Amino acid sequence: MRPPTEISVFLLSLLAPGVLYTMNNIPALQEPLVILGMGAVILGSVLLLLFLTVRHKAKVDPLFYVFAEFSFTCLVGLTNALEQDGFISGFMGFYIKMGEPHLTTAYALMMSYWEGIVHFILFLVIIHRMFSGKSYRSLGLLWAGSSIAHQIVHIPGVVIGKYGSNIRPAFWRNIPFFLAPFWAASLLFSRPREMQVITADKIAAEQKKSLLFRPIDLLLSLLLLGSMAFSVFRGFVVLDCSLDTCFTYIYQYEPYLKDPVGFPRVMMLVYLFYALPLLTVFIYGLKTPGCSWMLDWTIFVAGAMAQTQWCHIGASLHSRTPFTYRVPADKRLPVIALNALLAAAPALLALRCHTNPAYFMKPVPAGQSNSKKKEN
């Protein structure tokens, strides 16, 4: 009897620490170009093993290979985080020295924890649902948002930060991991979503209500406006705005924004130029009935902002961040609260959209049962 596919992926992923330990103890495998080559060979071998694992299946979703391959790299990231924080040793020394030195930074460690715990669990659940014939589209979009946000901060942050002058060949293995989530997201967005049919009467009743008579949506709109204002403000801060308020904030509240590693600066600019327009259209979606795209994009953005805020909050407090760039002890409560609300706003919006989607749906023929399913 074959084990469930998610168990096979889990067991295969557990080989990652063993591979790292072996390379860490063989000097011939520790040259920069050799590390890049070995990385390609290892990932290719993992892909072959995954193919052999599911070759008996009649039809395999191509996204399976993306999720399963990323599962393997999640354990690499978790191994790095655990070693840098002193829980284990003897696995990552060679890679930090000759591969990607920036992985010792606090921001990279928080990324590694997120990958090794949140993404890894998501992958196993997705793969289980995939081979059980259940929908995994929403979970896939959650991961896609998180992973794209990870890479669009990670790669530019390394290039423009203080590690930009010490980029090794192994760094370029991030390129396929940058492109794959975009491809996966395009596939997931193009697939029909599954949701309950809601009667036309109920949809019409919900869509007749103005924003003032929907207190939850009104509160979410105000929360989104606050998130937008905070994103604009911090964007100005990292762009060296000369206003006294910006100067006070960066020196007395979030000095981490001027950490030379580059990640916080890139993150604030991503919020300013990408998150801000998306939050704006979400407010439009809360005000305008029938915006069914809200059901997908709120999940995508919730994943992205949860990932970036986790990394930002954690890095600004982590001991690997120089003391002068950490959040001052007497300012931790307001700074953490503001950052937590920034992560919570899209998550609460996504939850609201999926628990009561009637306002965002197009009318369906009257008389259909709520218990039936349809593809929208």
Side-chain angles (χ1 to χ4, degrees):
M1 182 178 177
R2 297 178 185 273
T5 308
E6 66 273 15
I7 299 299
S8 299
V9 171
F10 174 76
L11 294 174
L12 181 60
S13 301
L14 291 180
L15 295 176
V19 171
L20 291 171
Y21 185 83
T22 301
M23 293 184 68
N24 197 55
N25 288 278
I26 300 178
L29 301 179
Q30 297 174 10
E31 293 299 318
L33 286 174
V34 174
I35 292 173
L36 179 61
M38 283 297 297
V41 169
I42 291 166
L43 292 176
S45 301
V46 170
L47 194 60
L48 176 61
L49 290 173
L50 291 170
F51 174 77
L52 295 175
T53 299
V54 298
R55 70 185 186 281
H56 63 285
K57 304 285 186 182
K59 185 178 180 181
V60 178
D61 190 323
L63 288 180
F64 162 73
Y65 297 103
V66 174
F67 297 139
E69 188 93 345
F70 273 71
S71 297
F72 183 86
T73 61
C74 282
L75 268 294
V76 174
L78 184 60
T79 302
N80 173 63
L82 293 174
E83 177 158 333
Q84 302 310 316
D85 277 340
F87 296 105
I88 58 175
S89 62
F91 294 87
M92 294 295 297
F94 79 100
Y95 194 77
I96 295 300
K97 182 179 179 181
M98 306 302 293
E100 296 186 76
H102 65 274
L103 291 180
T104 60
T105 64
Y107 194 94
L109 292 189
M110 302 313 293
M111 287 194 301
S112 295
Y113 278 121
W114 186 268
E115 273 195 302
I117 298 172
V118 177
H119 282 183
F120 189 59
I121 293 172
L122 265 179
F123 290 142
L124 295 180
V125 173
I126 287 172
I127 292 169
H128 170 74
R129 294 184 66 86
M130 183 184 292
F131 287 97
S132 299
K134 300 176 182 178
S135 175
Y136 64 87
R137 187 172 178 276
S138 294
L139 291 175
L141 288 173
L142 186 70
W143 164 77
S146 174
S147 189
I148 289 173
H150 168 132
Q151 294 296 351
I152 63 176
V153 173
H154 175 210
I155 293 177
V158 173
V159 174
I160 72 167
K162 70 177 185 179
Y163 290 93
S165 60
N166 192 28
I167 293 178
R168 307 276 185 164
F171 171 74
W172 301 110
R173 60 98 190 169
N174 289 294
I175 299 302
F177 291 99
F178 173 78
L179 297 175
F182 283 95
W183 175 68
S186 68
L187 284 183
L188 291 166
F189 274 117
S190 66
R191 294 178 181 179
R193 76 177 70 89
E194 288 188 357
M195 58 187 301
Q196 289 185 340
V197 170
I198 301 177
T199 61
D201 290 342
K202 183 174 180 180
I203 292 175
E206 285 292 320
Q207 295 184 352
K208 285 179 182 177
K209 298 177 183 177
S210 71
L211 189 60
L212 293 176
F213 292 93
R214 290 179 283 124
I216 292 178
D217 290 351
L218 180 60
L219 182 60
L220 285 170
S221 298
L222 294 174
L223 193 56
L224 290 174
L225 284 171
S227 299
M228 291 166 59
F230 192 43
S231 297
V232 170
F233 174 69
R234 293 202 297 183
F236 286 172
V237 167
V238 298
L239 289 172
D240 296 326
C241 175
S242 59
L243 291 175
D244 290 343
T245 306
C246 295
F247 182 87
T248 300
Y249 186 80
I250 200 169
Y251 281 96
Q252 296 187 18
Y253 288 85
E254 278 198 88
Y256 181 63
L257 295 178
K258 57 188 178 70
D259 191 326
V261 294
F263 298 121
R265 192 178 356 151
V266 172
M267 181 182 149
M268 295 306 112
L269 295 178
V270 167
Y271 274 25
L272 182 62
F273 294 111
Y274 295 96
L276 181 63
L278 287 167
L279 295 177
T280 303
V281 297
F282 287 166
I283 293 177
Y284 171 83
L286 284 171
K287 184 178 181 297
T288 307
C291 296
S292 58
W293 47 265
M294 288 278 286
L295 302 174
D296 292 337
W297 280 96
T298 52
I299 292 179
F300 181 85
V301 174
M305 294 186 72
Q307 193 274 344
T308 50
Q309 285 302 111
W310 159 265
C311 295
H312 182 75
I313 295 171
S316 65
L317 302 173
H318 198 280
S319 60
R320 280 190 173 268
T321 296
F323 181 78
T324 54
Y325 297 122
R326 290 182 222 161
V327 177
D330 61 333
K331 300 296 192 301
R332 284 184 180 177
L333 183 58
V335 170
I336 293 175
L338 283 171
N339 279 282
L341 282 173
L342 192 56
L348 292 172
L349 178 60
L351 183 63
R352 179 265 179 269
C353 290
H354 285 265
T355 53
N356 185 16
Y359 186 79
F360 309 102
M361 294 176 62
K362 296 178 181 179
V364 297
Q368 291 189 13
S369 169
N370 285 351
S371 61
K372 293 179 183 178
K373 300 282 184 178
K374 83 178 186 86
E375 289 186 350
N376 185 25

